[in-house]
Amino acid sequence: MHLKSRFAGPWADPEQLHSVKTGEWRYQRPITKVGKCCQCGTCYLFCPTGCVTNRGDHFAADLEYCKGCGLCAKLCPVSAIMVVREEK
């Protein structure tokens, strides 16, 4: 089955996915404690916006796209991510 839209299937085109910088919407942001991160990738897998990236020695959210939901901090098995109030 071929869908007649700019999307080739159930997933959006990766170029279109990050076209709106949604980081301006948040009131809190995640901070990763680099030394405590065990690189399990749980935050990467469950991030609803897909903004968590592997930085080599830890995972961290791209704050231009992070909405501040705090799901990454709640799911981190070693509590390496904490959520702090956003200062504008």
Side-chain angles (χ1 to χ4, degrees):
M1 180 171 121
H2 182 68
L3 302 173
K4 295 186 179 192
S5 72
R6 62 183 181 181
F7 305 109
W11 300 103
D13 180 18
E15 298 299 321
Q16 296 290 327
L17 200 69
H18 290 293
S19 61
V20 177
K21 296 186 191 269
T22 56
E24 299 170 357
W25 302 353
R26 71 175 178 271
Y27 68 95
Q28 59 184 10
R29 63 186 169 96
I31 296 177
T32 304
K33 300 172 193 169
V34 178
K36 201 169 181 183
C37 179
C38 66
Q39 295 183 320
C40 64
T42 303
C43 55
Y44 175 82
L45 291 172
F46 289 100
C47 178
T49 58
C51 69
V52 176
T53 58
N54 187 352
R55 306 277 172 97
D57 59 343
H58 68 285
F59 283 87
D62 183 352
L63 296 179
E64 289 186 346
Y65 302 103
C66 175
K67 294 181 183 177
C69 69
L71 193 59
C72 56
K74 289 177 184 151
L75 294 175
C76 182
V78 294
S79 300
I81 304 171
M82 63 180 192
V83 180
V84 296
R85 186 166 186 84
E86 184 71 53
E87 299 291 328
K88 295 274 179 178

